[in-house]
C-alpha cells in the first residue's frame, strides 16, 4: 500500500492520468490525498471529478478556493470569470452528482504516518491555530458545506474581512475567516493578519508580512503541514513543510509525494503538464 499527496490538479485530467500512470496507482491498494483545487482553469474539470469519484475512498480530497468557486457558481452566487473553465461541470447531465460529491469532501486532514504527523490543508494555517484547532474549525465549515444553508453562505463567501482571527467571531464572519485561511492564505503578519493581494513567491512578502509558515512561534511548528495553492512557491520539502502546487495549469508540473515506509525516504514524483492558462 502506498500513500501519495498530490498538488493542485485544476481540471487537468490528462496530467492527472499521466501522474497516476507514472506511479502505477491502484485504487484497491493505494490512497491519494489531493490538496484541493481539483477544478477550474484546466480543460476538463468534469473529467477530474468523475475520475476521483470513481476511486471511492482511495481518493481523499480537500477543497480549495476554486472548488468552492464552482459551488458558488452553481447556485448563482458568483458569475464565472473569463478564465473559468467550469462549463463542462455546470452543464453536465451528472452535474448534481458531482456537486453533491464535492460537498462531502474535507477542508483539512491529519494523517499519522510512521511517527510523523502530517496536517493537510489547501492553502495555509494561521500562526495562532494548533493542528487540533485547525481540524475543529475545518469541521465547522464542513457542517455548513453539507447542510441546508450552504447557498446562503456562498452568497456571502467572497471578501477579505475579517482579516484577523479571534475566538469570538460568529456567523458568516467566522465561516468566511475559516475559509479564507484554509483556502487563500499566503502571507500574514506575526499577529495573523492576512493579506490577499500578493500571489508571487515567498520573496515578495509585502512590508510587515511573512509567508504564513515563516511566522516565528506558529503553533503548527510541531507537525508537518502539507499544502497546495501557491504555484509561484513551487515544490518545497522540509521536515515541517510540503508545498505541492507546482503550477500544472500554467505549464509546470503535477506533483505527487509518495510517503516513505520503513527506512525509505519520501519521494517526489512529477509529470510535466501542457499549459492550459497563461499567468496574468
Amino acid at each position: 500500500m502506498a500513500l501519495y499527496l498530490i498538488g493542485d490538479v485544476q481540471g487537468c485530467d490528462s496530467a492527472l492520468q499521466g501522474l497516476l500512470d507514472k506511479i502505477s496507482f491502484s485504487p484497491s491498494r493505494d490512497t491519494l490525498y489531493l490538496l484541493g483545487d481539483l477544478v477550474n482553469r484546466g480543460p476538463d474539470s468534469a473529467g477530474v471529478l468523475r475520475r476521483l469519484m470513481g476511486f471511492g475512498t482511495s481518493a481523499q480530497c480537500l477543497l480549495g478556493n476554486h472548488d468552492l468557486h464552482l459551488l458558488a457558481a452553481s447556485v448563482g452566487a458568483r458569475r464565472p470569470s473569463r478564465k473559468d473553465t467550469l462549463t463542462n461541470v455546470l452543464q453536465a447531465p451528472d452535474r448534481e452528482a458531482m456537486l453533491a460529491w464535492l460537498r462531502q469532501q474535507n477542508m483539512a486532514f491529519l494523517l499519522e504516518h510512521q511517527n510523523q504527523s502530517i496536517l493537510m490543508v489547501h492553502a495555509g494555517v494561521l500562526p495562532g491555530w494548533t493542528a487540533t484547532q485547525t481540524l475543529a474549525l475545518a469541521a465547522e465549515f464542513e457542517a455548513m458545506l453539507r447542510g441546508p444553508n450552504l447557498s446562503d453562505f456562498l452568497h456571502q463567501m467572497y471578501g477579505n474581512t475579517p482579516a484577523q482571527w479571534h475566538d469570538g467571531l460568529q456567523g458568516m464572519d467566522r465561516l468566511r475567516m475559516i475559509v479564507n485561511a484554509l483556502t487563500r492564505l499566503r502571507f500574514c503578519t506575526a499577529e495573523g493578519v492576512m493579506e490577499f493581494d500578493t500571489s508571487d513567491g515567498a520573496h515578495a512578502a509585502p512590508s510587515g508580512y511573512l509567508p504564513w509558515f515563516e511566522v516565528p512561534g506558529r503553533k503548527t511548528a510541531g507537525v508537518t503541514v502539507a499544502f497546495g495553492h501557491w504555484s509561484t512557491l513551487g515544490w518545497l520539502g522540509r521536515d515541517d513543510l510540503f508545498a505541492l502546487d507546482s503550477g500544472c495549469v500554467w505549464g509546470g508540473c503535477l506533483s505527487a509525494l509518495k510517503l516513505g515506509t520503513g527506512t525509505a525516504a519520501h519521494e517526489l514524483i512529477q509529470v510535466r503538464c501542457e499549459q492550459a492558462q497563461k499567468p496574468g
Side-chain angles (χ1 to χ4, degrees):
M1 182 183 74
L3 304 178
Y4 299 92
L5 313 185
I6 297 179
D8 301 33
V9 178
Q10 289 202 242
C12 297
D13 188 54
S14 61
L16 179 58
Q17 176 64 69
L19 182 62
L20 297 181
D21 289 344
K22 188 169 184 176
I23 65 177
S24 300
F25 171 68
S26 169
S28 65
R29 179 192 63 213
D30 306 324
T31 301
L32 310 173
Y33 290 90
L34 290 103
L35 301 179
D37 278 1
L38 310 175
V39 303
N40 206 17
R41 305 290 173 84
D44 193 3
S45 293
V48 170
L49 295 181
R50 292 179 186 124
R51 183 185 300 279
L52 296 174
M53 291 167 67
F55 291 153
T57 57
S58 296
Q60 300 288 320
C61 300
L62 297 179
L63 297 186
N65 50 302
H66 283 283
D67 308 309
L68 295 177
H69 180 60
L70 169 57
L71 291 173
S74 76
V75 297
R78 192 73 165 186
R79 294 182 62 182
S81 76
R82 63 182 178 84
K83 290 185 177 181
D84 286 345
T85 58
L86 299 172
T87 303
N88 75 340
V89 176
L90 295 173
Q91 296 184 2
D94 54 343
R95 156 196 162 117
E96 295 308 318
M98 288 188 279
L99 297 174
W101 179 85
L102 275 175
R103 293 179 63 179
Q104 296 302 313
Q105 304 315 301
N106 292 85
M107 300 299 293
F109 292 123
L110 184 64
L111 176 67
E112 300 294 340
H113 178 75
Q114 297 209 163
N115 300 317
Q116 183 178 24
S117 298
I118 303 174
L119 175 65
M120 302 177 216
V121 296
H122 174 61
V125 182
L126 288 170
W129 290 358
T130 64
T132 299
Q133 184 179 12
T134 301
L135 292 172
L137 294 173
E140 287 186 31
F141 181 70
E142 289 161 9
M144 166 66 74
L145 188 66
R146 296 158 195 165
N149 298 320
L150 178 62
S151 180
D152 291 342
F153 172 77
L154 292 172
H155 278 84
Q156 301 178 65
M157 178 175 68
Y158 292 90
N160 296 338
T161 58
Q164 186 174 21
W165 175 261
H166 62 87
D167 290 338
L169 284 173
Q170 296 182 352
M172 293 295 176
D173 280 349
R174 182 180 180 93
L175 291 170
R176 188 186 307 111
M177 179 81 196
I178 293 169
V179 166
N180 281 345
L182 293 178
T183 70
R184 297 179 61 207
L185 179 62
R186 292 187 182 95
F187 296 104
C188 64
T189 67
E191 297 74 32
V193 178
M194 298 185 292
E195 192 272 351
F196 295 116
D197 292 332
T198 309
S199 59
D200 291 336
H203 65 282
S207 178
Y209 292 85
L210 296 164
W212 65 265
F213 50 83
E214 299 290 10
V215 173
R218 66 177 170 90
K219 292 185 177 180
T220 49
V223 302
T224 300
V225 183
F227 64 101
H229 184 61
W230 201 341
S231 62
T232 50
L233 185 65
W235 158 249
L236 181 60
R238 310 189 322 202
D239 288 344
D240 65 337
L241 208 69
F242 301 139
L244 280 158
D245 181 3
S246 41
C248 176
V249 75
W250 310 116
C253 293
L254 183 60
S255 296
L257 187 69
K258 181 180 181 181
L259 298 183
T261 57
T263 59
H266 301 322
E267 178 186 2
L268 180 67
I269 303 162
Q270 296 180 310
V271 294
R272 296 295 304 182
C273 301
E274 184 177 348
Q275 186 176 39
Q277 292 264 352
K278 293 183 179 180

